[in-house]
Amino acid sequence: MRRLLLSALGALPAALRAAPAGLNGRAVRGGRPGAAPEDGLSGTGGTAPAPDRHRPSPGRGRGDTVRAWTELFRVSALFSVPGDALAGAAAVGRSPGRGTALAIGASLCLYEAGMALNDWADREEDAVDRPHRPIPSGRISASAALGAAGALTAAGLALAARAGRPALAVATGLAATVWAYDLHLKHTKAGPAAMAAARSLDLLLGATATAYAGTGPGPRAPRPTRLGAVPPTGPDNVARAAGAARSPLAALPAALVLGAHTYGVTAVSRQEAQGGSTAVPLAVLATTTALAAAVLATHQRQRPGEPATPGLAATAPGSSYRPDHPHHPAAPAMPDLGAPQPDTHRPHHHPTAPAIPDLGAPLPGTYRPSHHAHRPTAPALTPLLLTAFTGAYLRTAGPPLLHAALNPSPPLTQRAVGGGIRAMIPLQAALAVRAGAPGSGLAVMALVPLARSLARKVSPT
């Protein structure tokens, strides 16, 4: 028995050497060793851990194909796109409508076209720095990625064309900027400026499509309010009651703010593979703080009681009459229409106005002109929402940039880029609220938890 036991123990090392090595990451299939599984959290060959990188599924089935395309398109970054069109619509004093929806669809298509084209153009570089990406890992072919970029570009331009020729012109410029950046400008000094221009054009696309794709030739005029009727109190009441929409060029300041933020994020992203820059994150952090202060300062310069959106109470050119101002000098002159008809009211032409029966105190929630003369146009929550959204913007973008400045390693630099992408959402919401559309701002902010949840599964960078 002892001899048998000693023989078995002596044969154990040889058996372990001949057995499939399942504990060291190598599998044996059909008697041949398989390739080591790819580390989805590695930067180069598993030696440089990078955040927000997720292990691809090992199979080759349908689920792995879907996962590969979601990684190629970086779908978690998609939630930073709809806010461009909504902020643009608010900037021109319009409620979101058919044109806004078309602009959002066109922006999503062009954004994803840029993502696919970006990986196609960087396929050789990613093979060294990021071999886990879909094209270097062989999960998506380079020709398929290029074809997807072309198809999505055509779809985006088609959607923009449905919103009118002005929107198509802006979308064409946006598409040309995206392709020029991915194919050439990305590795030049003009790269950050090109990305900033693309994001600014995206907001202008929403403004142009909303302004020119309405149901009628002119803006939607507010309905007259009858005695005893409840006035509209919806969250987008300010933008809806504009009466006269402004030119899409009115959205240019908001587009420049968003473009400046994008410029900073792009400048940081140029260091995310190698790291090593402290000055760039610090400069972008200073720019982020300045942008937040500018958004708040623009709103605080408005006088109390004025509409949040400039021009909502505009009158005819040359007229000094302000119906919402408590001390306006004089009302505009009214033409003389002749003698008044019996029982009609003519201001300044008869001593007394027709008697109105006393209906008693107004019921709660009812509207009466004598009790509504100085009601502010902007909702009372607008300053609070603007402060909260601007604070969320600083909270999302600021700390990762500070960490990247203190330790400019690739992992922290990539976190700063991801934070900058996600910070676009509260910035868009703040711009919408500043333009007088708190409802649109709340709708944009509702995308934040979705973006944060999906970013844990698919990296936005």
Side-chain angles (χ1 to χ4, degrees), residues 139-198:
R139 291 177 290 154
I140 295 179
S141 66
S143 59
L146 182 60
L152 287 169
T153 301
L157 294 177
L159 287 173
R162 297 288 301 274
R165 292 182 179 178
L168 177 60
V170 177
T172 302
L174 173 58
T177 304
V178 169
W179 280 73
Y181 172 82
D182 286 331
L183 297 181
H184 176 65
L185 298 177
K186 179 192 308 182
H187 301 292
T188 67
K189 293 182 179 180
M195 279 299 293

Side-chain angles (χ1 to χ4, degrees), residues 67-345:
R67 176 57 185 263
W69 283 101
T70 58
E71 291 180 14
L72 179 75
F73 289 139
R74 296 173 174 88
V75 294
S76 61
L78 271 179
F79 296 100
S80 68
V81 177
D84 290 344
L86 292 175
V92 296
R94 292 267 192 166
S95 298
R98 173 179 173 271
T100 314
L102 290 171
I104 292 176
S107 298
L108 291 173
C109 290
L110 295 176
Y111 189 85
E112 292 294 42
M115 291 295 184
L117 186 64
N118 175 79
D119 274 30
W120 179 86
D122 288 349
R123 60 192 184 280
E124 296 179 359
E125 180 181 339
D126 287 344
V128 177
D129 293 335
R130 297 200 250 187
H132 59 275
R133 293 297 300 166
I135 295 179
S137 63
R139 291 177 290 154
I140 295 179
S141 66
S143 59
L146 182 60
L152 287 169
T153 301
L157 294 177
L159 287 173
R162 297 288 301 274
R165 292 182 179 178
L168 177 60
V170 177
T172 302
L174 173 58
T177 304
V178 169
W179 280 73
Y181 172 82
D182 286 331
L183 297 181
H184 176 65
L185 298 177
K186 179 192 308 182
H187 301 292
T188 67
K189 293 182 179 180
M195 279 299 293
R199 183 63 74 162
S200 297
L201 285 172
D202 198 36
L203 189 146
L204 292 176
L205 173 60
T208 305
T210 305
Y212 290 104
T215 56
R220 181 170 45 186
R223 295 180 179 179
T225 307
R226 295 173 300 175
L227 182 64
V230 180
T233 57
D236 275 338
N237 185 28
V238 175
R240 180 175 292 112
R246 296 179 298 279
S247 164
L249 292 179
L252 189 58
L256 292 177
V257 169
L258 202 58
H261 173 78
T262 306
Y263 187 101
V265 175
T266 308
V268 175
S269 70
R270 294 162 76 91
Q271 308 290 331
E272 65 177 342
Q274 294 83 18
S277 175
T278 300
V280 174
L282 279 178
V284 175
L285 179 59
T287 302
T288 300
T289 306
L291 290 176
V295 171
L296 290 175
T298 303
H299 179 77
Q300 291 173 355
R301 281 197 300 264
Q302 296 168 353
R303 291 178 295 181
E306 282 191 342
T309 306
L312 291 187
T315 56
S319 173
S320 59
Y321 176 62
R322 291 289 305 278
D324 59 338
H325 199 282
H327 303 291
H328 58 81
M334 298 179 61
D336 188 6
L337 302 179
Q341 299 295 327
D343 299 330
T344 59
H345 174 64

